[in-house]
Amino acid sequence: MRRLVLIISLVSISDNDSYGQDYFNKSGYEFHELREVVTQKLSSGERDSALVFSLWGLASYNTFSRPDSGIYYATRALTVASEIEYRQGELESLHTLGLCYRSLRNIPKSLQVNLEGVRFAEKYHSDHFKGIFLMNVGINQVIQKDYANGMTSLRRSYPLLAPAKNPPVSTLVEVWIGRIHLDQERID
């Protein structure tokens, strides 16, 4: 059983590393081209959802390889999304910002960002993002060894990310719940 959980965990981790790469495969842009697009839009003063999406793409690309750059781009995307009231962009940017902080091992800041994300998702009536943020809150709590609250957050996220809605993400929730059980077994 432990081997199975370990294998699933490793697969999930390798999937996380490709998170930002998927954006570029779909966009048709190379990294340097996207940076040029963002630079041109920012210098022209243009503020639209395409700019938010491009900034978010740069943030996603850097989430695990250069999280400090990811934080810069996610923060810029969040600012522009707020200015133009692009709610999807705000939620995506907050999600990526939380991942960047966790990638830097700044768990308290990641937890803070994800709790803010839960509030935004509730305010904007987005069950999907509420589930994503609750999952990330739970993961951060588990990393901090706050197993009881981590389990609560993960269990609250699961119905919002049920396998029929989002199989890869609901599997990630199951892996982290499994990790709690394994860690608790070692503690007892």
Side-chain angles (χ1 to χ4, degrees):
M1 179 63 176
R2 287 182 186 205
R3 283 186 183 162
L4 178 62
V5 171
L6 179 62
I7 290 169
I8 292 172
S9 296
L10 291 174
V11 169
S12 297
I13 290 168
S14 67
D15 284 349
N16 280 340
D17 289 339
S18 66
Y19 170 74
Q21 302 291 335
D22 291 341
Y23 169 81
F24 290 95
N25 294 339
K26 293 175 187 170
S27 72
Y29 282 113
E30 295 293 327
F31 181 75
H32 70 279
E33 294 172 322
L34 191 57
R35 278 184 35 189
E36 289 173 20
V37 168
V38 166
T39 302
Q40 289 170 355
K41 283 184 170 282
L42 287 172
S43 64
S44 72
E46 197 174 336
R47 301 283 193 266
D48 59 10
S49 59
L51 174 60
V52 173
F53 187 69
S54 298
L55 286 164
W56 171 78
L58 289 171
S60 298
Y61 186 83
N62 287 292
T63 299
F64 300 102
S65 59
R66 290 184 296 177
D68 52 338
S69 294
I71 288 169
Y72 171 79
Y73 290 119
T75 302
R76 295 292 297 264
L78 180 59
T79 301
V80 175
S82 295
E83 288 173 3
I84 64 171
E85 298 181 0
Y86 179 39
R87 303 305 176 217
Q88 176 81 18
E90 287 180 87
L91 294 167
E92 293 282 5
S93 301
L94 273 173
H95 174 239
T96 303
L97 191 58
L99 290 176
C100 289
Y101 279 117
R102 187 166 70 221
S103 186
L104 282 173
R105 307 304 291 170
N106 188 343
I107 304 306
K109 185 66 176 176
S110 179
L111 186 58
Q112 176 189 349
V113 168
N114 282 292
L115 287 169
E116 183 180 347
V118 171
R119 286 189 292 278
F120 269 58
E122 288 173 344
K123 179 180 174 182
Y124 302 143
H125 307 290
S126 174
D127 285 344
H128 170 73
F129 274 102
K130 182 178 178 183
I132 294 289
F133 288 119
L134 282 169
M135 177 190 68
N136 285 319
V137 165
I139 291 170
N140 288 329
Q141 290 166 327
V142 172
I143 291 169
Q144 291 179 319
K145 301 197 182 315
D146 181 1
Y147 297 114
N149 286 324
M151 182 67 84
T152 299
S153 297
L154 289 166
R155 284 187 173 155
R156 285 181 57 208
S157 75
Y158 193 79
L160 302 170
L161 304 169
K165 294 180 183 176
N166 199 337
V169 178
S170 60
T171 301
L172 189 58
V173 172
E174 293 165 355
V175 167
W176 279 93
I177 288 173
R179 179 176 172 179
I180 291 171
H181 289 295
L182 289 174
D183 286 356
Q184 290 291 310
E185 195 174 288
R186 276 187 244 143
I187 290 171
D188 296 336

Coordinates of all heavy atoms in Angstrom, one line a residue, residues 50-128:
A50 N -6.3 39.5 -22.3 CA -5.1 38.9 -23.0 C -3.8 39.1 -22.3 O -3.0 38.3 -22.2 CB -5.0 39.3 -24.4
L51 N -3.7 40.3 -21.7 CA -2.5 40.7 -20.9 C -2.5 39.8 -19.7 O -1.4 39.3 -19.3 CB -2.4 42.2 -20.6 CG -1.3 42.6 -19.7 CD1 0.1 42.3 -20.2 CD2 -1.5 44.1 -19.3
V52 N -3.6 39.7 -19.0 CA -3.7 38.9 -17.8 C -3.3 37.5 -18.1 O -2.5 36.9 -17.4 CB -5.1 39.0 -17.1 CG1 -5.2 38.0 -16.0 CG2 -5.4 40.4 -16.7
F53 N -3.9 37.0 -19.2 CA -3.6 35.6 -19.5 C -2.2 35.4 -19.8 O -1.6 34.4 -19.4 CB -4.5 35.2 -20.7 CG -4.4 33.8 -21.1 CD1 -5.0 32.8 -20.3 CD2 -3.9 33.4 -22.3 CE1 -5.0 31.4 -20.7 CE2 -3.8 32.0 -22.7 CZ -4.3 31.1 -21.8
S54 N -1.5 36.3 -20.5 CA -0.1 36.2 -20.8 C 0.8 36.3 -19.6 O 1.7 35.6 -19.4 CB 0.3 37.3 -21.8 OG -0.4 37.2 -23.0
L55 N 0.4 37.2 -18.7 CA 1.2 37.3 -17.4 C 1.0 36.1 -16.6 O 2.0 35.5 -16.1 CB 0.7 38.6 -16.6 CG 1.2 39.9 -17.1 CD1 0.3 41.0 -16.5 CD2 2.7 40.1 -16.8
W56 N -0.2 35.6 -16.6 CA -0.4 34.3 -15.8 C 0.3 33.2 -16.5 O 0.9 32.3 -15.8 CB -1.9 34.0 -15.8 CG -2.2 32.6 -15.3 CD1 -2.2 32.3 -14.0 CD2 -2.5 31.5 -16.1 NE1 -2.5 30.9 -13.9 CE2 -2.6 30.4 -15.2 CE3 -2.6 31.2 -17.4 CZ2 -2.9 29.1 -15.6 CZ3 -2.8 29.9 -17.8 CH2 -3.0 28.9 -16.9
G57 N 0.4 33.1 -17.8 CA 1.2 32.1 -18.5 C 2.7 32.2 -18.1 O 3.3 31.1 -17.9
L58 N 3.2 33.4 -18.1 CA 4.6 33.5 -17.6 C 4.8 33.1 -16.2 O 5.8 32.4 -15.8 CB 5.1 34.9 -17.8 CG 5.3 35.4 -19.3 CD1 5.5 36.9 -19.3 CD2 6.4 34.7 -19.9
A59 N 3.8 33.4 -15.3 CA 3.9 33.0 -13.9 C 3.8 31.5 -13.8 O 4.6 30.8 -13.1 CB 2.7 33.6 -13.2
S60 N 2.9 30.9 -14.6 CA 2.8 29.4 -14.6 C 4.0 28.7 -15.1 O 4.5 27.7 -14.5 CB 1.6 29.0 -15.4 OG 0.4 29.5 -14.9
Y61 N 4.6 29.3 -16.1 CA 5.8 28.7 -16.7 C 7.0 28.7 -15.6 O 7.8 27.8 -15.6 CB 6.3 29.5 -17.9 CG 7.4 28.9 -18.6 CD1 7.2 27.9 -19.5 CD2 8.7 29.4 -18.4 CE1 8.3 27.3 -20.2 CE2 9.8 28.8 -19.1 CZ 9.6 27.8 -20.0 OH 10.6 27.2 -20.7
N62 N 7.0 29.7 -14.8 CA 8.1 29.8 -13.8 C 7.8 29.2 -12.4 O 8.6 29.3 -11.5 CB 8.4 31.3 -13.6 CG 9.2 31.8 -14.8 OD1 10.3 31.5 -15.1 ND2 8.5 32.7 -15.6
T63 N 6.6 28.7 -12.2 CA 6.1 28.3 -10.9 C 7.1 27.4 -10.2 O 7.4 27.6 -9.0 CB 4.7 27.6 -11.0 OG1 3.8 28.5 -11.5 CG2 4.2 27.1 -9.6
F64 N 7.6 26.4 -10.8 CA 8.5 25.4 -10.2 C 10.0 25.6 -10.5 O 10.8 25.2 -9.7 CB 8.0 24.0 -10.5 CG 6.6 23.8 -10.0 CD1 5.6 23.8 -10.9 CD2 6.3 23.6 -8.7 CE1 4.3 23.5 -10.5 CE2 5.0 23.3 -8.3 CZ 4.0 23.3 -9.2
S65 N 10.3 26.2 -11.6 CA 11.7 26.4 -12.0 C 12.3 27.7 -11.4 O 13.4 27.7 -11.0 CB 11.8 26.3 -13.5 OG 11.1 27.3 -14.1
R66 N 11.5 28.8 -11.5 CA 11.9 30.1 -11.0 C 10.7 30.7 -10.3 O 10.1 31.7 -10.8 CB 12.4 30.9 -12.1 CG 13.8 30.4 -12.7 CD 14.3 31.4 -13.7 NE 13.3 31.4 -14.8 CZ 13.5 32.1 -15.9 NH1 14.5 32.9 -16.0 NH2 12.6 32.1 -16.9
P67 N 10.4 30.2 -9.1 CA 9.2 30.7 -8.4 C 9.2 32.2 -8.1 O 8.2 32.8 -8.0 CB 9.1 29.8 -7.2 CG 10.4 29.2 -7.0 CD 11.1 29.2 -8.3
D68 N 10.4 32.8 -7.9 CA 10.5 34.2 -7.6 C 10.0 35.0 -8.8 O 9.2 36.0 -8.7 CB 11.9 34.6 -7.2 CG 13.0 34.2 -8.1 OD1 12.7 33.2 -8.9 OD2 14.1 34.8 -8.1
S69 N 10.3 34.5 -10.0 CA 9.8 35.2 -11.2 C 8.3 34.9 -11.4 O 7.6 35.8 -11.8 CB 10.5 34.6 -12.5 OG 11.9 35.0 -12.5
G70 N 7.9 33.7 -11.0 CA 6.5 33.4 -11.0 C 5.7 34.3 -10.1 O 4.6 34.7 -10.5
I71 N 6.2 34.6 -9.0 CA 5.5 35.5 -8.0 C 5.4 36.9 -8.7 O 4.4 37.5 -8.6 CB 6.3 35.6 -6.7 CG1 6.1 34.3 -5.9 CG2 5.8 36.8 -5.9 CD1 7.0 34.2 -4.7
Y72 N 6.5 37.4 -9.3 CA 6.4 38.7 -10.0 C 5.3 38.7 -11.0 O 4.5 39.6 -11.0 CB 7.8 39.0 -10.6 CG 7.8 40.2 -11.5 CD1 7.8 41.5 -11.0 CD2 7.7 40.1 -12.9 CE1 7.8 42.6 -11.8 CE2 7.6 41.2 -13.7 CZ 7.7 42.4 -13.2 OH 7.6 43.6 -14.0
Y73 N 5.3 37.7 -11.9 CA 4.3 37.7 -13.0 C 2.9 37.5 -12.5 O 1.9 38.1 -13.0 CB 4.7 36.7 -14.1 CG 5.9 37.0 -14.9 CD1 7.0 36.2 -14.9 CD2 5.9 38.2 -15.7 CE1 8.1 36.6 -15.6 CE2 7.0 38.5 -16.4 CZ 8.1 37.7 -16.4 OH 9.2 38.1 -17.1
A74 N 2.7 36.6 -11.5 CA 1.4 36.3 -10.9 C 0.9 37.6 -10.2 O -0.3 37.9 -10.3 CB 1.4 35.2 -10.0
T75 N 1.7 38.3 -9.5 CA 1.3 39.5 -8.9 C 0.9 40.6 -9.9 O -0.1 41.3 -9.7 CB 2.4 40.1 -8.0 OG1 2.8 39.1 -7.0 CG2 2.0 41.3 -7.2
R76 N 1.6 40.7 -11.0 CA 1.3 41.7 -12.0 C -0.1 41.2 -12.7 O -0.9 42.1 -12.9 CB 2.3 41.7 -13.1 CG 3.7 42.3 -12.7 CD 3.7 43.8 -12.3 NE 3.3 44.6 -13.4 CZ 4.2 45.3 -14.2 NH1 5.5 45.1 -14.1 NH2 3.8 46.1 -15.2
A77 N -0.2 39.9 -12.9 CA -1.5 39.5 -13.5 C -2.7 39.7 -12.6 O -3.7 40.2 -13.0 CB -1.4 38.0 -13.8
L78 N -2.5 39.5 -11.3 CA -3.5 39.8 -10.3 C -3.9 41.2 -10.3 O -5.1 41.6 -10.2 CB -3.1 39.3 -8.9 CG -4.0 39.5 -7.8 CD1 -5.3 38.7 -8.0 CD2 -3.4 39.0 -6.5
T79 N -2.9 42.1 -10.3 CA -3.1 43.6 -10.3 C -4.0 44.0 -11.5 O -5.0 44.7 -11.4 CB -1.8 44.3 -10.2 OG1 -1.1 43.9 -9.1 CG2 -2.0 45.8 -10.3
V80 N -3.5 43.5 -12.7 CA -4.3 43.9 -13.9 C -5.7 43.3 -13.9 O -6.6 44.0 -14.3 CB -3.5 43.5 -15.2 CG1 -4.3 43.8 -16.5 CG2 -2.1 44.2 -15.3
A81 N -5.8 42.1 -13.5 CA -7.1 41.4 -13.5 C -8.0 42.2 -12.5 O -9.2 42.4 -12.8 CB -7.0 40.0 -13.0
S82 N -7.5 42.6 -11.4 CA -8.4 43.4 -10.5 C -8.8 44.7 -11.1 O -9.9 45.2 -10.9 CB -7.6 43.7 -9.2 OG -7.4 42.4 -8.5
E83 N -7.8 45.4 -11.8 CA -8.1 46.7 -12.4 C -9.2 46.6 -13.4 O -10.1 47.5 -13.5 CB -6.9 47.2 -13.1 CG -5.8 47.7 -12.2 CD -4.5 48.1 -12.9 OE1 -4.4 48.0 -14.2 OE2 -3.5 48.5 -12.2
I84 N -9.2 45.5 -14.2 CA -10.2 45.4 -15.3 C -11.4 44.5 -14.9 O -12.3 44.2 -15.7 CB -9.6 44.9 -16.6 CG1 -9.0 43.4 -16.4 CG2 -8.5 45.8 -17.1 CD1 -8.6 42.8 -17.7
E85 N -11.4 44.1 -13.6 CA -12.5 43.3 -13.0 C -12.6 42.0 -13.8 O -13.8 41.5 -14.1 CB -13.8 44.1 -12.9 CG -13.7 45.3 -12.0 CD -14.9 46.0 -11.9 OE1 -16.0 45.7 -12.5 OE2 -14.9 47.0 -11.1
Y86 N -11.5 41.3 -14.1 CA -11.5 40.0 -14.8 C -11.4 38.9 -13.7 O -10.3 38.6 -13.3 CB -10.4 40.0 -15.8 CG -10.2 38.7 -16.5 CD1 -11.3 38.0 -17.0 CD2 -8.9 38.2 -16.8 CE1 -11.1 36.8 -17.7 CE2 -8.7 37.1 -17.6 CZ -9.8 36.4 -18.0 OH -9.6 35.2 -18.7
R87 N -12.5 38.4 -13.2 CA -12.6 37.5 -12.1 C -11.8 36.2 -12.3 O -11.1 35.7 -11.4 CB -14.0 37.2 -11.7 CG -14.8 38.5 -11.4 CD -14.2 39.3 -10.3 NE -14.9 40.6 -10.1 CZ -14.4 41.7 -9.8 NH1 -13.1 41.8 -9.8 NH2 -15.1 42.8 -9.7
Q88 N -12.0 35.6 -13.5 CA -11.2 34.4 -13.8 C -9.7 34.6 -13.7 O -9.0 33.8 -13.1 CB -11.6 33.9 -15.2 CG -10.8 32.7 -15.7 CD -11.4 31.4 -15.2 OE1 -12.5 31.4 -14.7 NE2 -10.6 30.4 -15.2
G89 N -9.3 35.8 -14.2 CA -7.9 36.1 -14.1 C -7.4 36.3 -12.7 O -6.3 35.9 -12.3
E90 N -8.2 36.9 -11.8 CA -7.9 37.0 -10.4 C -7.7 35.7 -9.8 O -6.7 35.4 -9.0 CB -9.0 37.8 -9.7 CG -9.0 39.3 -10.0 CD -10.1 40.0 -9.2 OE1 -9.8 40.4 -8.1 OE2 -11.2 40.2 -9.8
L91 N -8.6 34.8 -10.0 CA -8.6 33.4 -9.4 C -7.4 32.6 -9.9 O -6.7 32.0 -9.1 CB -9.9 32.7 -9.7 CG -11.1 33.3 -9.0 CD1 -12.4 32.7 -9.5 CD2 -11.1 33.2 -7.5
E92 N -7.2 32.6 -11.2 CA -6.0 31.9 -11.8 C -4.7 32.5 -11.2 O -3.8 31.7 -10.9 CB -6.0 32.0 -13.3 CG -7.1 31.3 -14.0 CD -6.9 29.8 -14.1 OE1 -5.9 29.3 -13.6 OE2 -7.7 29.2 -14.8
S93 N -4.6 33.8 -11.1 CA -3.4 34.5 -10.6 C -3.1 34.1 -9.2 O -2.0 33.8 -8.8 CB -3.5 36.0 -10.8 OG -3.6 36.3 -12.2
L94 N -4.2 34.2 -8.3 CA -4.0 33.8 -6.9 C -3.6 32.4 -6.8 O -2.7 32.1 -5.9 CB -5.4 34.0 -6.2 CG -5.6 35.4 -5.6 CD1 -7.0 35.5 -5.1 CD2 -4.6 35.8 -4.5
H95 N -4.2 31.5 -7.6 CA -3.8 30.1 -7.5 C -2.3 29.9 -7.8 O -1.6 29.2 -7.1 CB -4.7 29.3 -8.5 CG -4.2 27.9 -8.6 ND1 -3.9 27.3 -9.8 CD2 -4.1 26.9 -7.7 CE1 -3.5 26.0 -9.6 NE2 -3.7 25.8 -8.4
T96 N -1.9 30.5 -8.9 CA -0.5 30.4 -9.3 C 0.4 31.1 -8.2 O 1.5 30.5 -7.9 CB -0.2 31.0 -10.7 OG1 -1.1 30.3 -11.6 CG2 1.2 30.8 -11.1
L97 N 0.0 32.2 -7.7 CA 0.8 32.9 -6.7 C 1.0 31.9 -5.4 O 2.1 31.8 -4.9 CB 0.1 34.2 -6.3 CG 0.8 35.1 -5.4 CD1 2.1 35.6 -6.0 CD2 0.0 36.4 -5.1
G98 N -0.1 31.3 -5.0 CA 0.0 30.3 -3.9 C 1.0 29.2 -4.2 O 1.8 28.8 -3.3
L99 N 0.9 28.7 -5.4 CA 1.9 27.6 -5.8 C 3.3 28.1 -5.8 O 4.2 27.3 -5.4 CB 1.5 27.0 -7.2 CG 0.2 26.2 -7.3 CD1 -0.1 25.9 -8.8 CD2 0.3 25.0 -6.4
C100 N 3.5 29.3 -6.3 CA 4.9 29.8 -6.3 C 5.5 29.9 -4.9 O 6.6 29.6 -4.6 CB 4.9 31.2 -7.0 SG 4.7 31.1 -8.8
Y101 N 4.7 30.5 -4.0 CA 5.1 30.6 -2.6 C 5.4 29.2 -2.0 O 6.4 29.0 -1.3 CB 4.1 31.3 -1.7 CG 4.2 32.8 -1.9 CD1 3.2 33.6 -2.4 CD2 5.4 33.5 -1.5 CE1 3.3 35.0 -2.6 CE2 5.5 34.9 -1.7 CZ 4.5 35.6 -2.2 OH 4.6 37.0 -2.3
R102 N 4.5 28.2 -2.3 CA 4.8 26.9 -1.8 C 6.1 26.3 -2.4 O 6.9 25.6 -1.7 CB 3.6 26.0 -2.0 CG 3.8 24.6 -1.3 CD 2.6 23.8 -1.2 NE 2.2 23.3 -2.5 CZ 0.9 23.2 -2.9 NH1 -0.1 23.6 -2.1 NH2 0.6 22.7 -4.1
S103 N 6.3 26.6 -3.7 CA 7.5 26.1 -4.3 C 8.8 26.7 -3.7 O 9.8 26.0 -3.6 CB 7.4 26.5 -5.8 OG 8.5 25.9 -6.5
L104 N 8.7 27.9 -3.2 CA 9.8 28.5 -2.4 C 9.8 28.1 -1.0 O 10.7 28.5 -0.2 CB 9.6 30.1 -2.4 CG 10.0 30.8 -3.7 CD1 9.6 32.3 -3.6 CD2 11.5 30.6 -4.0
R105 N 8.9 27.2 -0.6 CA 8.8 26.7 0.8 C 8.4 27.7 1.8 O 8.6 27.6 3.0 CB 10.1 26.0 1.2 CG 10.6 24.9 0.3 CD 9.7 23.8 0.0 NE 9.4 23.0 1.2 CZ 8.5 22.1 1.3 NH1 7.7 21.9 0.2 NH2 8.3 21.3 2.3
N106 N 7.7 28.8 1.3 CA 7.2 29.8 2.2 C 5.7 29.4 2.4 O 4.8 30.0 1.8 CB 7.2 31.2 1.5 CG 6.8 32.3 2.5 OD1 6.2 32.1 3.5 ND2 7.2 33.5 2.1
I107 N 5.5 28.4 3.2 CA 4.2 27.8 3.5 C 3.3 28.8 4.1 O 2.1 28.8 3.7 CB 4.4 26.5 4.3 CG1 5.3 25.5 3.6 CG2 3.0 25.8 4.5 CD1 5.0 25.2 2.1
P108 N 3.7 29.6 5.1 CA 2.7 30.5 5.7 C 2.2 31.5 4.7 O 1.0 31.8 4.7 CB 3.5 31.2 6.8 CG 4.6 30.3 7.1 CD 5.0 29.5 5.9
K109 N 3.0 32.0 3.8 CA 2.5 32.9 2.8 C 1.6 32.2 1.7 O 0.6 32.7 1.3 CB 3.7 33.6 2.0 CG 3.3 34.7 1.1 CD 2.7 35.9 1.8 CE 2.4 37.0 0.7 NZ 1.8 38.1 1.3
S110 N 2.0 31.0 1.4 CA 1.1 30.2 0.5 C -0.2 30.0 1.1 O -1.3 30.1 0.4 CB 1.8 28.9 0.1 OG 1.0 28.1 -0.7
L111 N -0.2 29.6 2.4 CA -1.5 29.4 3.1 C -2.3 30.7 3.1 O -3.5 30.6 2.8 CB -1.2 28.9 4.5 CG -2.3 28.5 5.4 CD1 -3.1 27.4 4.7 CD2 -1.8 28.1 6.8
Q112 N -1.7 31.8 3.4 CA -2.4 33.1 3.4 C -3.0 33.4 2.0 O -4.2 33.8 1.9 CB -1.4 34.2 3.8 CG -2.0 35.6 3.7 CD -1.0 36.7 4.0 OE1 0.2 36.4 4.3 NE2 -1.3 37.9 3.7
V113 N -2.3 33.2 1.0 CA -2.8 33.5 -0.4 C -3.9 32.5 -0.7 O -5.0 33.0 -1.3 CB -1.6 33.3 -1.4 CG1 -2.2 33.3 -2.9 CG2 -0.6 34.4 -1.3
N114 N -3.8 31.3 -0.4 CA -4.9 30.3 -0.7 C -6.1 30.5 0.1 O -7.2 30.4 -0.3 CB -4.4 28.9 -0.5 CG -3.6 28.5 -1.7 OD1 -4.1 28.3 -2.8 ND2 -2.2 28.3 -1.5
L115 N -6.0 31.0 1.4 CA -7.2 31.4 2.2 C -7.9 32.6 1.6 O -9.1 32.6 1.5 CB -6.8 31.6 3.6 CG -6.4 30.4 4.5 CD1 -5.8 30.8 5.8 CD2 -7.7 29.5 4.7
E116 N -7.1 33.5 1.1 CA -7.7 34.6 0.4 C -8.4 34.2 -0.9 O -9.5 34.6 -1.3 CB -6.6 35.7 0.0 CG -7.1 36.9 -0.7 CD -6.0 37.9 -1.0 OE1 -4.8 37.7 -0.5 OE2 -6.2 38.8 -1.8
G117 N -7.8 33.2 -1.6 CA -8.4 32.6 -2.8 C -9.7 31.9 -2.5 O -10.7 32.1 -3.2
V118 N -9.8 31.3 -1.3 CA -11.1 30.7 -0.9 C -12.2 31.8 -0.8 O -13.3 31.6 -1.3 CB -11.0 29.9 0.4 CG1 -12.4 29.5 1.0 CG2 -10.1 28.7 0.3
R119 N -11.8 32.9 -0.1 CA -12.8 34.0 0.0 C -13.2 34.6 -1.3 O -14.3 34.8 -1.6 CB -12.2 35.1 0.9 CG -12.1 34.7 2.4 CD -11.7 35.9 3.3 NE -10.3 36.3 3.1 CZ -9.3 35.7 3.7 NH1 -9.4 34.7 4.4 NH2 -8.0 36.2 3.4
F120 N -12.2 34.8 -2.2 CA -12.5 35.3 -3.6 C -13.5 34.3 -4.3 O -14.4 34.7 -4.9 CB -11.3 35.4 -4.4 CG -10.6 36.8 -4.3 CD1 -10.3 37.3 -3.1 CD2 -10.4 37.6 -5.4 CE1 -9.7 38.6 -3.0 CE2 -9.8 38.8 -5.4 CZ -9.5 39.3 -4.1
A121 N -13.1 33.0 -4.2 CA -13.9 32.0 -4.9 C -15.4 32.0 -4.4 O -16.3 31.8 -5.2 CB -13.3 30.6 -4.8
E122 N -15.5 32.1 -3.1 CA -16.9 32.2 -2.5 C -17.6 33.4 -3.0 O -18.8 33.4 -3.4 CB -16.8 32.1 -1.0 CG -16.4 30.7 -0.5 CD -16.2 30.7 1.0 OE1 -16.0 31.8 1.6 OE2 -16.2 29.6 1.6
K123 N -16.9 34.6 -3.0 CA -17.5 35.8 -3.4 C -17.9 35.8 -4.9 O -19.0 36.3 -5.2 CB -16.4 36.9 -3.2 CG -16.9 38.3 -3.6 CD -15.8 39.3 -3.4 CE -16.1 40.7 -3.9 NZ -15.0 41.6 -3.7
Y124 N -17.1 35.1 -5.7 CA -17.4 35.1 -7.2 C -18.2 33.8 -7.5 O -18.4 33.5 -8.7 CB -16.2 35.1 -8.0 CG -15.4 36.4 -7.7 CD1 -14.0 36.4 -7.7 CD2 -16.0 37.6 -7.5 CE1 -13.2 37.5 -7.5 CE2 -15.2 38.8 -7.3 CZ -13.9 38.7 -7.3 OH -13.1 39.8 -7.0
H125 N -18.6 33.0 -6.5 CA -19.4 31.8 -6.7 C -18.8 30.8 -7.7 O -19.4 30.3 -8.6 CB -20.8 32.2 -7.3 CG -21.5 33.2 -6.4 ND1 -22.0 32.9 -5.1 CD2 -21.8 34.5 -6.6 CE1 -22.5 34.0 -4.6 NE2 -22.4 35.0 -5.5
S126 N -17.5 30.5 -7.4 CA -16.8 29.6 -8.2 C -16.4 28.3 -7.4 O -15.4 28.3 -6.6 CB -15.5 30.2 -8.8 OG -14.7 29.2 -9.5
D127 N -17.3 27.3 -7.5 CA -17.0 26.1 -6.7 C -15.7 25.4 -7.1 O -15.0 24.9 -6.3 CB -18.2 25.1 -6.9 CG -19.4 25.5 -6.1 OD1 -19.3 26.4 -5.2 OD2 -20.5 24.9 -6.4
H128 N -15.4 25.5 -8.4 CA -14.2 24.8 -8.9 C -13.0 25.5 -8.2 O -12.1 24.7 -7.7 CB -14.0 25.0 -10.4 CG -12.7 24.6 -10.9 ND1 -12.3 23.3 -11.0 CD2 -11.7 25.3 -11.4 CE1 -11.1 23.2 -11.5 NE2 -10.6 24.5 -11.7

